[in-house]
Amino acid sequence: MDDTVAKPSTDNKTWDGNNKPLNASYGKMMMWFFIVSDALTFSGFLGAYGFSRYKFIDSWPIADEVFTHIPFIHGNFPMYYVAFMTFVLIFSSVTMVLAVDAGHHMKKNKVIVYLFLTIIGGAIFVGSQAWEWGTFIKGNYGAVETKGGKILQFVKADGSRVALGDFAVPIHSERIQQESNNGIWYQSEGAGTSVSLAEVTKGFLADESILIRTQYLDENGHRTVLSRAESVAKLKTDGTGIVEGANLKHNEYGTPLFADFFFFITGFHGFHVFSGIIFNIIVFFNVIIGTYERRGSYEMVEKVGLYWHFVDLVWVFVFTVFYLI
Amino acid sequence: MAQDHNLAIFRGKLKFKSNVSKIWGVFILLSIITIVEVFLGITKPAFLTEHHLFALKYLNWIFIGLTIVKAYYITWDFMHMRDEKMGLRRSVVWTAGFLIIYLLFILLVEGDYVFEVYKNGYVKFDF
């Protein structure tokens, strides 16, 4: 009977159970599983962005022209603010890893301080993100949308941008806001734009120095500027409406897809940062009340730290794809 | 766990005395890379934007390379991948790396093809 029963060999312990080939705890392992799957989700989004960008490679918005603001300061500062955001997030990653290190040495007070700094860094990042969204939604110079859904922007002969409000000539007219309580479909209209297409056209025809810049790029990567005659013809035949700022359907900086991807990817990343802050706050209070001190291990800080570093890692790629390339 | 950190970076050429000083060292390295990226992004040197390699400007290849270097140090030193077993390291990095490269290859080549059809195709919308 014994001969027919397969027994594990006793000299080789590999398959006896209790073997930990990866030498990682269950919690850390599951965090790594999550991180790999989430990394694939993000690369799917960034890959879709790349797909759409290649699809419209000759007319995609240039990030340097889109994100040019710094809070409280006027002027043209491409990228400085988003570089600051990147530093904030990398620095909060540093304080997080310092908290993990302090946890290894069972130094409760140091863990508290470093976790607190991490939470503050994350909050600054999310706040900056919200401000960046607000600036993007509000818009900068405004543009005219064509029948084909393309964007016409206005420039001086030297290439500097002109805002719609600077040259539009006011036309007195009565405009009644459509509200949901009148009309049969109970739909209200949005806030509308600050100037109308007729006012912009009138102002454009009056000012000879203004030209139209299309969203198409020339061989050198600059946007094509039309001659005065072409500009007048283009605006008269193709212009259908005014775009100020960006939302999911219209985008004064170029193709609406750019705005859609910007909102979706940075929004999804911002949501990760937000949930990371929540996790950090929970762990922060657990550290204060001594949960991990009693447990004898600060591994929970390490696991949350893994998530936090991953969020930083994703931002490094989002930064490159959206702002640099 | 506390004492068994691998404290050498740059393939052992730079060795730190403690884990904390290694963290600050890596932070300085990441900061330098970010500053270089932002500097290149603002100045956009002409000799890097004129030429293309596989439909991508040299400058963009530099950005991607620097990003991967940053990702390496974040994963290896902040996420302690350097101290994990080789099996865990490879299961994470090789799996994600292979799938992401594959996905990007498919999507970007297809995007470029769609652009070509829109631009040069005799019959539009025939893919």
Side-chain angles (χ1 to χ4, degrees):
Chain A
M1 184 66 186
D2 275 358
D3 297 51
T4 59
V5 177
K7 278 185 182 169
S9 67
T10 45
D11 51 326
N12 184 351
K13 292 283 183 69
T14 307
W15 309 107
D16 284 359
N18 262 338
N19 187 19
K20 291 181 174 172
L22 299 183
N23 197 25
S25 70
Y26 178 80
K28 262 173 81 175
M29 193 84 105
M30 289 306 116
M31 187 51 90
W32 275 114
F33 265 91
F34 168 74
I35 286 172
V36 170
S37 69
D38 214 26
L40 293 173
T41 308
F42 269 107
S43 36
F45 293 153
L46 290 175
Y49 172 85
F51 173 85
S52 299
R53 186 169 177 171
Y54 265 107
K55 189 169 156 188
F56 300 114
I57 195 79
D58 59 349
S59 59
W60 200 252
I62 301 168
D64 288 9
E65 292 177 358
V66 180
F67 307 102
T68 57
H69 295 279
I70 295 181
F72 314 117
I73 303 173
H74 288 283
N76 188 36
F77 304 104
M79 271 192 351
Y80 290 102
Y81 194 60
V82 73
F84 161 76
M85 284 164 65
T86 307
F87 271 111
V88 168
L89 205 58
I90 290 180
F91 193 74
S92 79
S93 231
V94 170
T95 53
M96 186 80 225
V97 74
L98 288 171
V100 172
D101 187 71
H104 284 160
H105 296 102
M106 304 296 282
K107 290 176 184 159
K108 181 179 162 186
N109 290 328
K110 273 192 157 182
V111 178
I112 292 172
V113 171
Y114 286 133
L115 264 182
F116 182 72
L117 291 174
T118 309
I119 293 166
I120 297 297
I124 293 175
F125 180 85
V126 174
S128 306
Q129 189 84 271
W131 181 85
E132 184 117 316
W133 272 45
T135 318
F136 184 61
I137 291 168
K138 187 163 156 277
N140 205 359
Y141 295 101
V144 166
E145 199 170 72
T146 68
K147 286 176 192 158
K150 302 285 182 192
I151 288 298
L152 303 176
Q153 297 168 331
F154 296 90
V155 290
K156 293 272 184 196
D158 62 357
S160 60
R161 297 282 304 275
V162 189
L164 293 182
D166 291 349
F167 67 88
V169 175
I171 299 172
H172 183 72
S173 64
E174 287 292 322
R175 180 79 171 80
I176 298 164
Q177 189 90 359
Q178 168 72 32
E179 287 169 347
S180 60
N181 58 359
N182 47 35
I184 52 173
W185 295 109
Y186 306 102
Q187 286 180 337
S188 58
E189 67 178 1
T193 50
S194 63
V195 289
S196 71
L197 181 62
E199 290 170 335
V200 168
T201 311
K202 194 177 171 195
F204 180 75
L205 293 175
D207 191 342
E208 292 282 334
S209 67
I210 298 174
L211 301 173
I212 277 184
R213 195 173 77 156
T214 70
Q215 68 183 82
Y216 286 98
L217 305 172
D218 60 18
E219 311 83 55
N220 304 318
H222 302 297
R223 305 215 171 271
T224 316
V225 177
L226 304 177
S227 70
R228 177 69 191 174
E230 286 171 336
S231 299
V232 172
K234 188 80 179 166
L235 185 62
K236 278 186 175 167
T237 54
D238 275 4
T240 54
I242 300 294
V243 196
E244 286 175 323
N247 55 38
L248 293 173
K249 287 180 187 160
H250 306 282
N251 174 11
E252 70 157 63
Y253 301 101
T255 165
L257 263 180
F258 177 83
D260 299 344
F261 277 114
F262 176 78
F263 288 131
F264 193 70
I265 297 178
T266 62
F268 196 63
H269 176 265
F271 179 66
H272 275 73
V273 179
F274 174 74
S275 36
I277 293 171
I278 301 291
F279 297 154
N280 280 345
I281 288 173
I282 293 169
V283 171
F284 175 71
F285 284 114
N286 270 333
V287 174
I288 288 179
I289 63 176
T291 308
Y292 308 123
E293 201 72 32
R294 284 194 297 280
R295 200 178 281 176
S297 151
Y298 278 87
E299 201 193 59
M300 192 57 82
V301 180
E302 198 175 337
K303 282 181 275 196
V304 172
L306 278 180
Y307 178 75
W308 191 255
H309 298 311
F310 172 70
V311 169
D312 180 28
L313 182 71
V314 169
W315 179 254
V316 164
F317 282 94
V318 172
F319 174 61
T320 302
V321 171
F322 262 97
Y323 296 92
L324 292 176
I325 289 184
Chain B
M1 187 64 206
Q3 264 70 46
D4 59 353
H5 285 302
N6 185 350
L7 296 178
I9 66 170
F10 297 142
R11 295 196 160 271
K13 288 196 179 61
L14 184 57
K15 206 162 174 16
F16 290 100
K17 290 200 174 61
S18 73
N19 194 37
V20 173
S21 61
K22 185 183 81 166
I23 292 165
W24 287 110
V26 171
F27 171 63
I28 290 167
L29 178 71
L30 293 178
S31 304
I32 291 170
I33 295 175
T34 307
I35 289 167
V36 170
E37 279 181 339
V38 171
F39 175 77
L40 285 175
I42 290 170
T43 57
K44 294 206 168 130
F47 66 98
L48 289 174
T49 54
E50 282 163 356
H51 300 289
H52 289 70
L53 177 69
F54 299 122
L56 209 55
K57 288 170 192 155
Y58 285 172
L59 185 64
N60 290 346
W61 283 111
I62 292 174
F63 286 145
I64 291 169
L66 290 175
T67 305
I68 290 171
V69 171
K70 267 161 92 176
Y72 172 85
Y73 283 102
I74 289 172
T75 318
W76 255 245
D77 291 308
F78 287 176
M79 298 168 100
H80 301 302
M81 208 44 143
R82 209 184 283 283
D83 307 322
E84 301 290 356
K85 286 233 176 188
M86 190 179 73
L88 176 58
R89 207 158 61 212
R90 288 188 176 171
S91 330
V92 171
V93 178
W94 289 14
T95 310
F98 167 73
L99 289 171
I100 289 168
I101 289 168
Y102 177 62
L103 180 69
L104 290 184
F105 169 74
I106 297 282
L107 283 173
L108 298 186
V109 169
E110 181 69 11
D112 192 43
Y113 170 71
V114 172
F115 169 75
E116 288 294 329
V117 171
Y118 277 147
K119 191 180 170 68
N120 301 324
Y122 182 64
V123 181
K124 305 283 178 190
F125 302 105
D126 183 0
F127 296 103

